[in-house]
C-alpha cells in the first residue's frame, strides 16, 4: 500500500507572493500600529526610500524578516501586503535616487 503523504509543515513564515496587491493607505497605519509592538520607536525610523520597489518585493517574497521574529502571530497575509504596498509606494526611484544596491 502507498504511504500517506506527509503533513504540511506549519510555519511562522509569511512569504508574500510578488503579485499580491495591498492598500498603501492602510499599510501606513498598519506599519505604525502592528510593527510598533516589536520595534517601538524604531518603527518611525523605517525609511522606505532606502530600497527600490524590486528590493522590497524580494524582501517580502523571501520572508527575510522571519530570520529574527515570526510575523504570523502578529500579521495576516493581507495586512502584510498592505504594509508592502505602502513601503513600495515610498520606495526609491532608481532613475533619480541612489538606494541600497542601486548604481
Amino acid at each position: 500500500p502507498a504511504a500517506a503523504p506527509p503533513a504540511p509543515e506549519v510555519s511562522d513564515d509569511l512569504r508574500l507572493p510578488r503579485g499580491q496587491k495591498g492598500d498603501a493607505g492602510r499599510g501606513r497605519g498598519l506599519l505604525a500600529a502592528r510593527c510598533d509592538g516589536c520595534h517601538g520607536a524604531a518603527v518611525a525610523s523605517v525609511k522606505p526610500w532606502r530600497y527600490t520597489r524590486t528590493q522590497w518585493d524580494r524582501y517580502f517574497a523571501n520572508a527575510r524578516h522571519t530570520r529574527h521574529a515570526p510575523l504570523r502571530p502578529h500579521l495576516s497575509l493581507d495586512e502584510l501586503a498592505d504594509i508592502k504596498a505602502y513601503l513600495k509606494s515610498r520606495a526609491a526611484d532608481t532613475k533619480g535616487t541612489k538606494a541600497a544596491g542601486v548604481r
Side-chain angles (χ1 to χ4, degrees):
E9 285 186 40
V10 175
S11 171
D12 286 332
D13 289 355
L14 282 180
R15 294 181 191 278
L16 193 60
R18 290 181 192 242
Q20 185 167 347
K21 304 292 181 203
D23 178 357
R26 184 170 177 247
R28 181 178 183 179
L30 285 170
L31 180 69
R34 296 293 174 91
C35 301
D36 188 48
C38 293
H39 294 280
V43 85
S45 66
V46 171
K47 296 177 176 48
W49 47 263
R50 289 186 61 210
Y51 301 102
T52 64
R53 289 173 189 87
T54 303
Q55 287 170 320
W56 281 120
D57 274 336
R58 190 173 29 232
Y59 181 89
F60 285 99
N62 295 329
R64 295 267 318 268
H65 188 280
T66 58
R67 290 181 185 170
H68 305 291
L71 294 176
R72 190 172 299 284
H74 307 288
L75 292 167
S76 71
L77 203 57
D78 289 335
E79 290 169 331
L80 191 60
D82 293 340
I83 291 170
K84 174 186 165 186
Y86 167 68
L87 293 171
K88 284 182 65 175
S89 75
R90 308 285 297 163
D93 175 4
T94 57
K95 293 179 184 158
T97 308
K98 290 208 182 258
V102 177
R103 303 280 179 251

